[in-house]
């Protein structure tokens, strides 16, 4: 049921939805790129232990993500909507925990307490506070509008929000976090806490703007949890959704590509290229192509289809990352140029990725006559966190396997040439393989091409217009 007594969908909703992912990524991207560095080079914790933490946290997420999805699906709808109120409720707790996660003074604790501090604050941040705001935020797209074009616009603006977060995090942060000493980039540990507080405060403000600027228009009746189905019964039903299972596989492959590559680049530019400030240009090369694609994303998806355009983009990305891997250049300018070309390829996929999940939610309702926006999004969100965890776990284990030597309080350590080559290979080889996997999944398994999405939209409009029919 659509509430026609509210203002029509427009730019205010798109900018408001952008603010939500801007808020998400002020903390998420900062953690993805710099948290492992904080753990290994400020706290001095073994990369193996960091990998264990990330994998353990995702086991916790298996329960908190889906649990949060069921909470938002079954709680009564308030005057402000089903999903929006959570942005207001959780913005402040997320800011507090995000800041606590980067306390550089924790390096003075005994190693056992450092590890305990690391586990407690990371799980509170990712599995509790971030989950409680991200699941409702992601589920909102399907109730802001039921028009496929509007949803593609929301996905585009959401991805633009992520890119806007990348600018201060990946461009300003290297300037503040590192200093050059005798030709080496050296960390300034106390800056971690300051930056975490700044990005957390910016996230908090952006969440409140998202809450104020968006409107939930598609209001479905309140429902109670189906106790006869139960948690595992629900998961079994969702597992039969081929589109959901395929996009989960694609999400894991994509996150492996992006997160592992981003995390390795911190080590790559500091240790391999010996100049962490060059990450500024790498970040620009990653962000600008995606921003350039944004104005045409909706037109391209409406004309050719999200799935169809994404396949081409992933092919381009896989090819250029493969070139980087085999060239194995020591020239940072060439490295950044080839990254720019790869980012052009992946730009479209990143702009429309969130519209895929709204299509999957509709597909689930077509199949089952049951609307489970929060639960479907929660399972998808968990898969993304799983991809992040696998990337973090593999990154931690891989650093250990290639012989990376951790330091304490940001002290510079000279790594062996084999270790430096290993860092380069991980940063380039993983995305080359990952985007190839995404391409194959979309091309051969994902069932929702342009025609199928349009058909499902019409089916649901007819059902909602005549719910007793």
């Amino acid at each position: 049921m659509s509430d026609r007594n509210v203002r029509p969908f427009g730019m205010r909703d798109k900018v408001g939805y952008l603010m939500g992912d801007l808020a998400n990524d002020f903390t998420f991207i900062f953690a993805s790129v710099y948290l492992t560095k904080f753990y290994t080079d400020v706290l001095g914790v073994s990369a193996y232990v960091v990998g264990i933490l990330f994998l353990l946290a995702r086991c916790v997420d298996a329960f908190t993500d889906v649990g949060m999805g069921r909470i938002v699906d079954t709680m009564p709808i308030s005057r402000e909507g089903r999903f929006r109120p959570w942005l207001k409720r959780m913005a402040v707790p997320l800011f507090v925990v995000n800041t606590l996660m980067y306390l550089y003074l924790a390096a003075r604790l005994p190693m056992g307490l450092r590890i305990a501090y690391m586990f407690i604050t990371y799980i509170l941040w990712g599995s509790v506070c971030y989950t409680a705001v991200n699941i409702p935020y992601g589920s909102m797209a399907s109730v802001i509008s039921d028009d496929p074009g509007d949803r593609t616009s929301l996905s585009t603006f959401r991805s633009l929000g992520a890119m806007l977060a990348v600018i201060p995090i990946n461009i300003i942060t290297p300037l503040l976090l590192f200093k050059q000493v005798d030709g080496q980039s050296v960390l300034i540990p106390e800056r971690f806490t300051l930056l975490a507080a700044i990005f957390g405060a910016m996230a908090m403000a952006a969440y409140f703007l998202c809450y104020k600027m968006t409107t939930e228009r598609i209001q479905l009746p309140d429902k109670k949890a189906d106790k006869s189905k139960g948690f595992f019964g629900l998961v079994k039903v969702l597992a039969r959704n081929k589109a959901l299972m395929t996009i989960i596989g694609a999400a894991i492959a994509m996150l492996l590509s992006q997160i592992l590559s981003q995390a390795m680049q911190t080590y790559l530019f500091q240790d391999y290229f010996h100049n962490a400030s060059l990450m500024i240009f790498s970040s620009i090369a990653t962000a600008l192509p995606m921003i350039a694609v944004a104005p045409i994303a909706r037109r391209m998806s409406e004309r050719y289809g999200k799935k169809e355009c994404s396949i081409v983009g992933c092919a381009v990305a896989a090819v250029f990352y493969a070139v980087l891997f085999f060239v194995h250049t020591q020239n940072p300018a060439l490295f950044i140029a080839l990254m720019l070309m790869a980012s052009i390829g992946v730009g479209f996929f990143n702009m429309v990725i969130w519209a895929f999940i709204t299509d999957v939610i509709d597909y689930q309702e077509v199949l089952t006559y049951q609307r489970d926006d929060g639960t479907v999004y929660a399972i998808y969100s968990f898969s993304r966190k799983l991809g992040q965890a696998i990337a973090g776990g593999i990154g931690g284990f891989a650093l250990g396997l290639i012989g990376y030597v951790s330091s304490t309080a940001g002290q510079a350590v000279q790594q062996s040439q084999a270790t430096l080559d290993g860092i380069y290979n991980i940063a380039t080889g993983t995305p080359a393989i990952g985007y190839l996997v995404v391409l194959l999944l979309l091309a051969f398994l994902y069932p929702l091409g342009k025609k199928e999405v349009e058909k499902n939209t019409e089916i649901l409009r007819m059902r909602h217009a005549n719910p007793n029919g």
Side-chain angles (χ1 to χ4, degrees):
M1 296 183 296
S2 180
D3 186 350
R4 302 300 180 189
N5 296 319
V6 299
R7 61 178 176 79
F9 177 88
M11 182 59 68
R12 176 175 170 176
D13 293 281
K14 290 186 256 187
V15 174
Y17 204 64
L18 176 154
M19 288 293 170
D21 213 44
L22 178 66
N24 282 343
D25 284 305
F26 272 135
T27 61
F28 182 82
I29 292 180
F30 187 59
S32 299
V33 178
Y34 294 103
L35 187 58
T36 300
K37 193 72 172 174
F38 175 74
Y39 288 153
T40 59
D41 287 17
V42 175
L43 298 188
V45 175
S46 164
Y48 289 111
V49 176
V50 176
I52 292 170
L53 166 63
F54 290 155
L55 293 175
L56 177 64
R58 298 299 79 82
C59 295
V60 177
D61 287 345
F63 298 95
T64 59
D65 279 17
V66 178
M68 190 65 205
R70 296 310 291 159
I71 288 172
V72 297
D73 274 341
T74 56
M75 283 187 68
I77 300 176
S78 72
R79 182 175 58 86
E80 299 167 319
R82 183 183 296 278
F83 305 107
R84 288 172 59 243
W86 290 97
L87 303 178
K88 183 171 62 174
R89 291 168 189 157
M90 296 307 302
V92 174
L94 184 60
F95 159 71
V96 172
V97 175
N98 181 72
T99 305
L100 291 175
M101 193 165 61
Y102 295 91
L103 292 180
Y104 76 96
L105 293 175
R108 300 176 183 178
L109 297 172
M111 181 57 71
L113 290 179
R114 272 183 260 172
I115 292 173
Y117 152 83
M118 181 178 78
F119 273 71
I120 292 169
T121 54
Y122 181 75
I123 290 174
L124 274 176
W125 170 74
S127 302
V128 179
C129 295
Y130 186 81
T131 288
V133 70
N134 183 54
I135 298 301
Y137 165 74
S139 304
M140 280 171 54
S142 61
V143 298
I144 291 175
S145 174
D146 62 355
D147 181 84
D150 292 344
R151 290 175 170 182
T152 299
S153 294
L154 289 173
S155 177
T156 299
F157 273 76
R158 176 174 183 167
S159 297
L160 280 174
M163 290 301 101
L164 291 175
V166 166
I167 293 171
I169 291 172
N170 283 358
I171 296 178
I172 298 174
T173 299
L175 295 177
L176 298 178
L177 200 59
F178 297 91
K179 61 183 178 181
Q180 291 295 115
V181 178
D182 298 328
Q184 299 289 328
S185 291
V186 179
L187 277 173
I188 308 173
E190 58 271 21
R191 296 281 177 85
F192 270 106
T193 309
L194 174 64
L195 286 167
I198 291 171
F199 293 139
M202 294 169 73
M204 183 170 55
Y207 280 130
F208 281 114
L209 285 172
C210 179
Y211 166 79
K212 294 292 290 184
M213 297 176 71
T214 54
T215 300
E216 296 186 21
R217 293 175 180 80
I218 313 303
Q219 299 291 351
L220 299 177
D222 285 334
K223 62 182 179 181
K224 295 182 178 179
D226 187 349
K227 295 182 180 179
S228 64
K229 185 184 297 182
F231 171 79
F232 291 105
L234 176 65
V235 172
K236 186 176 180 180
V237 169
L238 293 173
R240 293 199 294 267
N241 185 330
K242 182 179 179 181
L244 177 60
M245 293 299 102
T246 305
I247 207 66
I248 283 175
I252 292 174
M254 182 189 73
L255 266 295
L256 274 170
S257 304
Q258 291 182 343
I259 302 297
L260 188 54
S261 180
Q262 287 173 356
M264 287 299 109
Q265 281 190 42
T266 307
Y267 298 91
L268 185 73
F269 282 96
Q270 182 181 9
D271 298 311
Y272 184 87
F273 291 124
H274 302 296
N275 192 342
S277 63
L278 291 176
M279 287 181 64
I280 296 172
F281 302 102
S282 172
S283 299
I284 292 172
T286 301
L288 284 184
M290 297 182 190
I291 294 173
V293 167
I296 64 171
R298 176 169 180 166
R299 293 198 301 272
M300 292 285 288
S301 66
E302 288 179 340
R303 182 171 182 178
Y304 301 108
K306 295 184 286 291
K307 167 184 172 178
E308 293 80 359
C309 292
S310 296
I311 288 171
V312 175
C314 288
V316 172
V319 166
F320 278 100
Y321 273 115
V323 170
L324 268 175
F325 177 81
F326 288 110
V327 168
H328 204 96
T329 180
Q330 294 184 350
N331 184 336
L334 177 60
F335 182 90
I336 292 169
L338 290 172
M339 271 196 65
L340 173 68
M341 301 305 297
S343 297
I344 292 172
V346 78
F348 184 88
F349 184 52
N350 275 340
M351 285 295 112
V352 302
I353 182 64
W354 301 107
F356 276 92
I357 195 59
T358 56
D359 293 341
V360 170
I361 289 171
D362 284 351
Y363 183 60
Q364 177 71 16
E365 185 179 2
V366 168
L367 293 176
T368 66
Y369 288 78
Q370 181 76 23
R371 189 79 183 179
D372 292 303
D373 303 66
T375 305
V376 172
Y377 183 82
I379 291 176
Y380 176 67
S381 176
F382 168 69
S383 74
R384 289 178 63 85
K385 287 186 178 180
L386 184 62
Q388 181 198 12
I390 293 172
I394 291 176
F397 293 135
L399 283 171
L401 288 173
I402 63 177
Y404 185 83
V405 180
S406 298
S407 63
T408 303
Q411 297 172 357
V413 175
Q414 182 63 46
Q415 308 293 336
S416 70
Q417 187 59 47
T419 298
L420 298 177
D421 290 339
I423 291 171
Y424 183 97
N425 291 336
I426 295 169
T428 56
T430 301
I433 296 170
Y435 284 115
L436 177 61
V437 171
V438 174
L439 182 159
L440 295 174
L441 288 172
L442 292 178
F444 296 106
L445 292 179
Y446 187 69
L448 301 181
K450 181 175 182 292
K451 293 181 180 179
E452 290 78 10
V453 169
E454 292 172 347
K455 179 181 177 181
N456 288 342
T457 300
E458 288 305 312
I459 290 173
L460 293 181
R461 283 180 176 171
M462 291 176 63
R463 285 187 192 173
H464 296 162
N466 185 21
N468 297 319

